[in-house]
Amino acid sequence: NIERERLRPGDAVNIARDVSFRRVRWRIGGVLRAFTPVTLTGSWTAGESVNLAPSGTTAPAQGPSETVALTLTLQPVTPLRVDTTWLSSSLDSSTGLAIFRNEIVRAKVNWQVTRELAVRAIIQHDNTSANGALTTLRTGRRFNTDFLVSYVVNPWTAVYAGYNGNARTVSALELTWLRDAQQLFVKISYVYRF
């Protein structure tokens, strides 16, 4: 697959005029269903990507990149579905130096308790290792939790209650987690007709 990408001033740092990149990428993917409740989905993409967050006064440049995505889906009964995903991506400079490495592990559980009542939980861990000499990306780990309970009587009448929490470390070696966001919400919708 051959792609073209054009960056204009304002799209990324250190660009004074339009810059075009021509990228060649290869992708292989597949789905394996051993038996009904278990599915494995995967893909591997390699080629070139653009460093959109270069450090200092360096302009964006392209280099070798690789992305791997694997998802294991378990659905032991129709109302319950568990997806566990592992994502890995990397970008190197044209000289072979690592710009960044990123790994994400995500677990998502959906449970349709009744026709009206559903519960969803998403837990995600993100680990980024960045070369500060080549990018403004930060090295660190992030942890995110999302919980949602929904009760939908019809498209016009519903109640949603949820929680979102985010935490991060300052560096990859640090064990102290800083909670940088939390949100608890309730949303009610109802149509009154007269």
Side-chain angles (χ1 to χ4, degrees):
N1 187 19
I2 298 174
E3 302 171 348
R4 294 196 182 274
E5 183 172 6
R6 178 178 301 220
L7 297 178
R8 295 177 175 86
D11 289 344
V13 295
N14 305 324
I15 295 181
R17 57 178 176 76
D18 289 4
V19 179
S20 293
F21 296 96
R22 180 180 177 264
R23 301 179 303 179
V24 178
R25 301 179 67 120
W26 301 273
R27 183 176 190 275
I28 297 172
V31 176
L32 175 64
R33 181 170 237 163
F35 51 99
T36 304
V38 179
T39 304
L40 180 64
T41 307
S43 67
W44 173 74
T45 305
E48 298 171 323
S49 293
V50 179
N51 179 6
L52 296 173
S55 63
T57 58
T58 308
Q62 69 183 26
S65 66
E66 183 177 52
T67 303
V68 178
L70 293 173
T71 299
L72 176 65
T73 301
L74 303 173
Q75 193 164 8
V77 291
T78 303
L80 178 64
R81 179 181 170 130
V82 179
D83 293 313
T84 304
T85 302
W86 174 69
L87 303 166
S88 175
S89 59
S90 64
L91 176 63
D92 295 334
S93 69
S94 58
T95 60
L97 294 173
I99 296 173
F100 77 85
R101 304 278 182 263
N102 180 252
E103 286 192 4
I104 298 172
V105 177
R106 178 185 308 130
K108 180 178 177 183
V109 178
N110 286 306
W111 181 26
Q112 191 71 40
V113 181
T114 65
R115 185 172 173 253
E116 296 85 9
L117 179 64
V119 178
R120 184 198 73 199
I122 301 172
I123 298 172
Q124 177 173 300
H125 180 265
D126 179 345
N127 187 12
T128 302
S129 176
N131 183 341
L134 299 174
T135 183
T136 57
L137 295 175
R138 297 169 120 185
T139 293
R141 295 180 291 159
R142 286 166 289 288
F143 188 74
N144 173 268
T145 54
D146 284 307
F147 299 102
L148 177 68
V149 176
S150 59
Y151 188 81
V152 180
V153 178
N154 59 49
W156 305 279
T157 305
V159 177
Y160 301 95
Y163 169 80
N164 173 272
N166 296 319
R168 65 177 173 86
T169 61
V170 176
S171 70
L173 301 175
E174 191 169 326
L175 298 176
T176 304
W177 289 88
L178 303 172
R179 187 175 293 160
D180 59 358
Q182 277 192 101
Q183 180 181 21
L184 182 65
F185 66 89
V186 175
K187 177 183 174 184
I188 300 171
S189 65
Y190 179 77
V191 171
Y192 177 72
R193 296 182 184 186
F194 55 94

